[in-house]
Amino acid sequence: MSRSPAAAAVAINPESDDAPFYQPIGDECELFEHAYRHQLPMLLKGPTGCGKTRFVAHMAAKLGRPLYTVSCHDDLTAADLTGRYLIKGGDTVWVDGPLTRAVREGAICYLDEVIEARKDVTVVLHPLTDDRRILPIDRTGELLEAPPSFMLVVSYNPGYQNVLKALKPSTRQRFMAMEFDFPPPELEIQVVARESGLPEGKVVPLVRLAGALRDLKGQDLEEGVSTRLLVYCATLIRSGIKPDRAIRTAMIEPLTDDVDVRQALLRVAQITLG
């Protein structure tokens, strides 16, 4: 039996204090709005923890649309997205999946790391990503037409791409695409300080260290330090944890299990921070 996808629907008032914070780096917000208005699907590419998911949540709030987020995995099937028959109280009832609910409600559906899902998932997405904008549900015989307010957004990390897990050109070319990366240092300092509550002056060396560790990507590391991990580290420091312990816990240990590599990263930290 496949695992159920992690999905949540949240309608956020754009003026609410609950709207997720996102610091634009370029014109990504404007491009997303234009894609939404013209009913164009969007593909987001970028490393882990660079803000793709936060960006989608921010834009859903800004547009005032419910958001369904699905964390894709290698057991995720088309049925997990569209729905299935379940037995409830002795009766067999149809239960919509998150993609079907998003289409019915005219919501934004975000498939995070779509490349991890099984191949039959992309087949289901195809008719939603061209001029038909329909979702066929074979098990019920329904043919749902997506309303103008529905938008499909998918993301993946090109750094983990391999021959067995790659989006086919026939799928990629159905989406507009934007590439994300970590913010420039001056913006990342502001983001980390705002999210963690640690003063910017104390965030500066953490961002400098993150840059040094990211430079090692492709050598001993598959991924560099994410902005998310920087926020975790700054949060620990603000709460009273000593900086060296916070750095090891939030910026070094998550990157590798290799003892030698970990020690090398700690030396980089010592040199960078003095």
Side-chain angles (χ1 to χ4, degrees), residues 2 16 31 37 46 59-60 73 82 84 92 96 104 110 117-118 140 153 155 168 172 190 192 210 223 232 261-262 274:
S2 61
S16 170
L31 283 172
R37 291 196 187 104
M59 293 308 302
H73 50 75
T82 57
R84 53 170 48 90
T92 301
D96 284 342
R104 291 193 197 278
Y110 174 50
R118 288 168 51 168
T140 65
V153 184
S155 73
K168 293 181 179 179
R172 292 170 62 95
Q190 295 175 22
V192 174
E223 281 289 329
Y232 292 170
V261 173
R262 192 161 58 237

Side-chain angles (χ1 to χ4, degrees), residues 19 60 100 115 144 165 171 173 176 181 227 235 237 240 267-268:
T100 302
I115 206 169
L144 298 181
K165 289 188 175 181
T171 299
Q173 293 191 33
M176 289 181 58
D181 204 345
T227 302
T235 300
I237 293 173
R267 287 195 293 273
V268 170

